[in-house]
């Protein structure tokens, strides 16, 4: 069982607190949403939880079966998706998947061809990623997270650039994964987090 615990977590830039006093426990098998308008600090909190940014005060602890995981080991348990995340666009789809899953284990014994089919990208398997549409790239980013054998998924505005079909694909995958993994979504769009177990309003922690 994987768990993320925060104690009096706070982050500020210059003299302005983005959030402060967050005491939360995030557990595997549950989906949590961080909500608030654009610029409210959702992404900053997400980055602090996954170790990209250090907190100004307080602490984030990762635990596996009640044993602490050292910060340098967080990456082994995490998949992260955001519209600003870069892909290796010189690779074809097949090459990128092979490269990525050379570092991360695949979930449920899925093969590369299975993933391509599940992402509805069969006709683009040999196509360089730089020629993908923005929606195809976002679906690919989500697939890299959904099909990885990692217990924690961080999602920052996960359906950015996606059309209705892509959003339906996202919702379908989330309905299957929410009971298996620890998912934390930063969003201000209801369809991205409506299946969550708990909503954390960033405005409740602005001091």
């Amino acid at each position: 069982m994987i768990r993320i615990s925060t104690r009096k977590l706070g982050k500020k830039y210059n003299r302005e607190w983005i959030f402060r006093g967050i005491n939360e426990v995030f557990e595997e098998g549950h989906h949590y949403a961080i909500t608030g308008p654009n610029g409210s600090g959702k992404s900053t909190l997400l980055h602090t939880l996954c170790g990209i940014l250090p907190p100004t005060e307080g602490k984030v602890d990762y635990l596996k079966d009640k044993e602490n995981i050292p910060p340098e080991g967080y990456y082994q348990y995490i998949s992260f998706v955001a519209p600003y995340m870069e892909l290796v666009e010189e690779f074809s789809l097949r090459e990128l998947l092979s490269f990525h899953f050379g570092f991360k284990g695949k979930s449920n014994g899925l093969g590369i061809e299975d993933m391509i089919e599940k992402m509805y990208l069969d006709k683009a398997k040999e196509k360089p990623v730089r020629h993908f549409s923005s929606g195809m790239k976002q679906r690919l980013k989500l697939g890299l997270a959904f099909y990885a054998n990692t217990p924690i998924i961080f999602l920052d505005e996960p359906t950015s650039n996606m059309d209705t079909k892509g959003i339906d694909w996202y919702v379908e995958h989330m309905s299957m994964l929410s009971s298996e993994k620890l998912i934390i979504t930063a969003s201000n769009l209801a369809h991205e987090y409506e299946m969550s177990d708990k909503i954390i309003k960033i405005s409740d922690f602005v001091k």
Side-chain angles (χ1 to χ4, degrees):
M1 172 68 72
I2 293 289
R3 176 182 296 179
I4 299 174
S5 175
T6 70
R7 286 180 285 170
K8 298 181 179 179
L9 189 67
K11 182 69 178 178
K12 70 176 178 179
Y13 287 114
N14 299 320
R15 297 184 179 182
E16 181 181 356
W17 287 98
I18 309 303
F19 54 82
R20 198 176 191 188
I22 298 181
N23 298 292
E24 290 287 345
V25 176
F26 305 89
E27 296 184 325
E28 191 173 353
H30 296 279
H31 180 193
Y32 304 85
I34 301 167
T35 66
N38 292 338
S40 60
K42 299 186 301 296
S43 295
T44 301
L45 176 53
L46 207 67
H47 291 169
T48 305
L49 290 173
C50 69
I52 294 174
L53 292 175
T56 304
E57 66 179 18
K59 193 175 182 184
V60 178
D61 288 313
Y62 278 52
L63 301 101
K64 181 178 182 181
D65 300 326
K66 299 183 180 180
E67 295 291 327
N68 274 293
I69 301 169
E72 61 270 20
Y74 290 177
Y75 75 94
Q76 300 177 60
Y77 300 89
I78 289 173
S79 289
F80 185 90
V81 181
Y84 46 81
M85 185 178 80
E86 296 293 334
L87 295 167
V88 184
E89 298 199 348
E90 290 73 22
F91 283 170
S92 68
L93 172 60
R94 192 198 299 274
E95 289 170 337
L96 180 58
L97 290 171
S98 297
F99 176 77
H100 180 82
F101 289 104
F103 296 94
K104 296 228 181 224
K106 307 181 190 74
S107 66
N108 301 321
L110 283 175
I112 298 300
E113 295 299 322
D114 300 317
M115 296 178 195
I116 291 172
E117 183 178 348
K118 283 179 172 290
M119 290 187 287
Y120 300 112
L121 294 173
D122 309 65
K123 296 180 180 179
K125 62 179 69 175
E126 305 300 342
K127 188 177 183 179
V129 173
R130 66 177 177 271
H131 296 314
F132 281 23
S133 69
S134 57
M136 290 168 68
K137 288 178 181 177
Q138 188 64 14
R139 203 182 323 153
L140 171 55
K141 293 173 188 178
L142 288 165
L144 294 176
F146 290 163
Y147 307 140
N149 188 24
T150 50
I152 304 170
I153 301 177
F154 289 101
L155 301 171
D156 194 357
E157 299 182 351
T159 62
S160 294
N161 304 313
M162 298 181 81
D163 59 15
T164 302
K165 183 178 178 181
I167 292 171
D168 290 343
W169 175 88
Y170 162 83
V171 171
E172 179 184 358
H173 277 70
M174 290 296 289
S175 66
M176 294 186 292
L177 292 171
S178 292
S179 62
E180 301 173 5
K181 300 188 182 247
L182 195 175
I183 302 175
I184 304 177
T185 302
S187 174
N188 58 10
L189 298 175
H191 70 259
E192 294 184 338
Y193 64 83
E194 61 188 357
M195 67 290 288
S196 63
D197 301 305
K198 183 175 183 179
I199 294 176
I200 298 166
K201 296 180 180 179
I202 195 77
S203 59
D204 292 342
F205 300 97
V206 177
K207 304 295 182 180

